Amino acid sequence: MPSTPTPAVASPVDDRPIALQQLHPAQLTALLALSMALTALGIDLMLPAFGAIRADLGLAADSNATAGLVTAYFLGLAVGQLFFGIIADSFGRRRALYIGYAVYGVGALLAVLAPTLGTVVAARALWGVGAAGGRVVTLAVIRDTWEGDRMSRAMSFVMAVFIIVPILAPALGAAIVSVAHWRWTFGVCALAAAGIALWARRLPETLAVEHRRELTVTRLVEAARFVAADRQTVMAGLALTSLYAVFTSWIASSELIITEVFDRGAQFPLIFGGLAVMLGLGMLLNARVVGIFGTRRVTAAAMAGYLASTVTLLVVVLSSDGIPPFWLFVPVLSVLLGSHALLVPNINSLAMERMGPVAGTASAIVGSLQVAGGALLGGVLDRAFDGTLTPIAIGFVFYGLVAAGLLAFGSRSSAPAAVTPAAA
């Protein structure tokens, strides 16, 4: 598909997208990535603090109740994306982004002050709502600015930069907990949101005034019908949900697995960060190969690699009574996560490919489906934790097969969406 800028944001005197006229591409990519990375920061920075949280809030040392802090955040993220999708399409990308920064900061500060686990969970849900702003706006701006394989490449670069957070955040979180109260892991997130918000003043508005949608029930229903009528978008969104379910479960249980199953708690930041490197490398690789082979071919190859690695992981786990040798578990999981990194930006691009007229709303619907469904389905795996890797290994295989089936069904769709939303 030709990589031409979306006409809605083209300048009459310069055929580059508006965002690339006012910001160097590297600066735009970094800003979008950091805005989206606030979502990951809100999770990964606190993972090393789970032990201190359990002790301070009166939980058992092996309690997995702290996984609720992750689940609540993801559910807030899911609900928030619907809200921010509407705001982004009706009032512009910048306004939605700044509201998101504000809610994110307030949620983080409330979590700092919350006295009980229940109130921390509630604050985390609000915090997740704010994190939705960065995710929705990032995907909408990418869709405003690029198309086709160029969009997949931009998505990959953004997500590759975004992956730096999971690499560095656990080590930073561990450092914070070693010298300060665990609540400072929440306070640092509020400070990060404020800093990125200052930089985001340079982000131009990529949604032209004439393409903003009137905020009425009719327009919202119309946009939702436009998204739901496109089988490729719906199936890609459901596939992302399936992949996100087991990935969410891994994130929420990683500290417990590495600490309790492998007895390597002191090495958790290094191990978690090393595995996150595979995600970053996969996304950087995707940015290159997608320009050569195209989004669809890379997605198909990555899905085959993902399924092969999940089956290998399951065989390794079952053949060792649920607790495989650490030296064997890490390489297999690294390949699996690398395949996951190739899949996510491309499936996101397929989901957004035909959604130009309602990019903000489409991003919100796909993202909400992905995050809410993923958090709930991932929660099932969290509760199945039995001190071994058997439940999560089965989950990787099952959810991977579901995602592959959904993508195969969605790939049969060749016609554009049947419903065309009217401009505001």
Side-chain angles (χ1 to χ4, degrees):
M1 181 175 180
S3 54
T4 55
T6 304
V9 296
S11 162
V13 296
D14 188 337
D15 62 0
R16 292 178 301 161
I18 285 176
L20 298 187
Q21 295 175 39
Q22 301 184 29
L23 278 178
H24 187 279
Q27 294 177 350
L28 175 62
T29 299
L31 176 56
L32 292 176
L34 290 176
S35 293
M36 196 167 179
L38 282 174
T39 302
L41 188 68
I43 300 168
D44 298 321
L45 194 68
M46 73 169 187
L47 293 179
F50 273 7
I53 292 173
R54 293 189 193 100
D56 197 37
L57 298 182
L59 302 173
D62 61 349
S63 172
N64 204 25
T66 47
L69 299 177
V70 177
T71 301
Y73 185 86
F74 279 131
L75 291 177
L77 180 64
V79 173
Q81 287 182 77
L82 295 173
F83 168 76
F84 283 106
I86 294 169
I87 297 299
D89 278 348
S90 300
F91 302 106
R93 314 309 192 200
R94 283 171 55 90
R95 187 170 299 183
L97 188 62
Y98 272 95
I99 294 174
Y101 289 146
V103 176
Y104 183 102
V106 169
L109 291 175
L110 288 176
V112 171
L113 301 173
T116 65
L117 180 63
T119 51
V120 175
V121 168
R124 291 282 295 168
L126 178 64
W127 188 348
V129 170
R135 187 191 186 283
V136 167
V137 172
T138 294
L139 295 183
V141 170
I142 289 174
R143 181 59 188 84
D144 289 342
T145 308
W146 292 285
E147 291 183 352
D149 292 341
R150 284 290 303 278
M151 182 169 63
S152 291
R153 292 185 64 191
M155 196 85 71
S156 296
F157 279 123
V158 165
M159 290 189 173
V161 176
F162 159 77
I163 287 300
I164 292 175
V165 171
I167 294 172
L168 300 179
L172 176 59
I176 292 172
V177 173
S178 69
V179 298
H181 197 274
W182 59 264
R183 292 180 186 272
W184 270 103
T185 60
F186 298 161
V188 168
C189 291
L191 293 174
I196 296 172
L198 290 174
W199 186 21
R201 292 183 301 173
R202 295 195 60 198
L203 179 69
E205 179 56 64
T206 61
L207 181 65
V209 174
E210 62 270 21
H211 289 273
R212 298 186 185 185
R213 300 182 57 78
E214 185 181 358
L215 187 57
T216 65
V217 173
T218 300
R219 296 296 190 196
L220 295 178
V221 171
E222 197 174 56
R225 287 179 60 206
F226 182 76
V227 175
D230 193 296
R231 188 167 74 184
Q232 175 177 300
T233 295
V234 173
M235 292 301 106
L238 290 172
L240 284 168
T241 301
S242 188
L243 293 173
Y244 207 72
V246 69
F247 185 71
T248 299
S249 181
W250 157 249
I251 294 295
S253 303
S254 59
E255 182 266 348
L256 200 58
I257 288 172
I258 293 173
T259 300
E260 299 297 324
V261 176
F262 293 111
D263 193 25
R264 294 174 180 264
Q267 302 168 22
F268 171 71
L270 180 62
I271 295 168
F272 188 86
L275 290 169
V277 168
M278 292 304 300
L279 289 169
L281 291 176
M283 290 176 182
L284 286 173
L285 175 64
N286 184 70
R288 286 187 168 275
V289 299
V290 78
I292 301 172
F293 300 105
T295 301
R296 296 178 190 278
R297 291 176 65 185
V298 173
T299 302
M303 180 55 73
Y306 183 87
L307 292 177
S309 58
T310 61
V311 172
T312 301
L313 177 64
L314 181 59
V315 170
V316 168
V317 168
L318 293 180
S319 64
S320 54
D321 296 326
I323 304 178
F326 184 74
W327 62 265
L328 186 56
F329 165 73
V330 169
V332 174
L333 185 62
S334 296
V335 174
L336 193 158
L337 293 177
S339 299
H340 178 89
L342 287 168
L343 285 170
V344 171
N346 290 321
I347 300 176
N348 265 303
S349 294
L350 292 174
M352 296 292 291
E353 187 174 46
R354 300 168 179 169
M355 297 294 108
V358 288
T361 302
S363 171
I365 292 174
V366 171
S368 295
L369 179 67
Q370 171 186 342
V371 174
L376 292 173
L377 294 173
V380 174
L381 285 179
D382 294 340
R383 290 190 292 275
F385 179 73
D386 60 358
T388 74
L389 297 182
T390 301
I392 198 168
I394 293 173
F396 270 118
V397 173
F398 175 76
Y399 288 126
L401 289 171
V402 170
L406 291 166
L407 283 176
F409 182 63
S411 68
R412 300 176 185 175
S413 172
S414 57
V419 181
T420 303

